[in-house]
């Protein structure tokens, strides 16, 4: 790492001191560490609060709440990733039905919490634009279409490919 730093410094025409490592070590020895108060810590993680009684714990978490479950939580939770790198993650699932159920739960929770539309009967008033990859598999798109109409009850559904969505997003 020290050689990479020297190469980087020379590439940007910066002078490298011959005793720079010793200067850094001595500075770190004589300087006391600065404690950051909890309310000023920009890297502080707000862990997901779990009830003390494991019987009252929710069956699942989605979004940031799922990523911030403490490692020593009771009950223990297992993280599933139904989508990886823009594709369905079939390797972590034994059945495709479980994969699509997890996707449905994630979409439903996102609509309820992020869009503030808690009742499913209100979803009939809304239309859905679903972005699919440029190279997609037809059976997955038909499965998602079925999910959006039957399970969620959207009034209208539109599929667009991600390149077209990027074009709209670019201006």
């Amino acid at each position: 790492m020290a050689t990479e730093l020297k190469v980087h410094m020379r590439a940007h025409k910066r002078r490298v001191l011959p005793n720079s490592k010793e200067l850094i070590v001595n500075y770190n020895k004589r300087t006391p560490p600065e404690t950051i108060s909890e309310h000023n810590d920009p890297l502080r993680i707000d862990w997901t609060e779990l009830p003390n009684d494991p019987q009252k714990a929710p069956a699942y978490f989605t979004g940031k709440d799922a990523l911030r479950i403490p490692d020593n939580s009771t009950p223990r939770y297992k993280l599933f990733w139904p989508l990886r790198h823009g594709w369905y993650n079939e390797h972590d699932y034994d059945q495709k039905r479980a994969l699509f159920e997890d996707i449905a739960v994630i979409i439903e929770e996102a609509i309820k919490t992020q869009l503030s539309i808690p009742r499913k009967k209100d979803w009939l008033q809304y239309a859905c634009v679903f972005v699919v990859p440029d190279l997609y598999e037809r059976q997955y798109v038909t499965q998602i279409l079925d999910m959006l109409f039957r399970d969620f009850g959207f009034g209208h559904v539109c599929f667009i490919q991600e390149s077209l969505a990027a074009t709209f997003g670019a201006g």
Side-chain angles (χ1 to χ4, degrees):
M1 191 162 123
T3 57
E4 290 177 14
L5 177 62
K6 287 180 182 178
V7 169
H8 182 74
M9 295 289 280
R10 286 187 185 128
H12 292 300
K13 297 185 170 116
R14 300 280 186 211
R15 192 174 65 171
V16 181
L17 296 174
N19 62 343
S20 58
K21 183 177 180 181
E22 291 82 20
L23 287 172
I24 293 170
V25 170
N26 290 332
Y27 177 79
N28 287 338
K29 281 182 183 177
R30 70 175 184 265
T31 306
E34 179 184 347
T35 57
I36 300 173
S37 58
E38 190 171 323
H39 69 278
N40 281 341
D41 189 3
L43 301 176
R44 181 175 170 256
I45 297 175
D46 294 326
W47 296 103
T48 302
E49 294 290 330
L50 297 173
N52 292 333
D53 184 13
Q55 300 295 330
K56 295 180 182 177
Y60 59 85
F61 287 99
T62 59
K64 287 184 181 178
D65 292 339
L67 296 176
R68 294 181 175 166
I69 296 174
D71 292 336
N72 56 355
S73 67
T74 52
R76 303 286 296 164
Y77 287 94
K78 181 178 181 196
L79 289 177
F80 286 96
W81 300 87
L83 297 172
R84 287 238 180 196
H85 310 293
W87 295 96
Y88 291 110
N89 184 15
E90 295 178 341
H91 301 293
D92 291 350
Y93 292 90
D94 296 331
Q95 300 174 349
K96 286 185 182 181
R97 181 181 176 138
L99 171 72
F100 286 115
E101 286 175 358
D102 281 356
I103 292 172
V105 166
I106 291 170
I107 293 173
E108 183 175 343
E109 287 295 315
I111 291 170
K112 287 180 179 178
T113 58
Q114 303 296 319
L115 300 178
S116 302
I117 310 171
R119 297 185 321 196
K120 272 191 164 183
K121 66 179 182 177
D122 294 339
W123 296 0
L124 184 60
Q125 304 172 34
Y126 295 95
C128 174
V129 177
F130 198 88
V131 180
V132 295
D134 289 331
L135 301 172
Y136 62 88
E137 294 185 31
R138 185 176 181 271
Q139 77 180 69
Y140 294 127
V141 173
T142 56
Q143 183 72 30
I144 292 290
L145 178 65
D146 184 54
M147 181 189 317
L148 293 173
F149 274 130
R150 290 190 186 173
D151 297 343
F152 299 138
F154 284 113
H156 305 282
V157 174
C158 172
F159 285 98
I160 61 172
Q161 290 179 310
E162 60 185 344
S163 58
L164 181 63
T167 304
F168 285 129

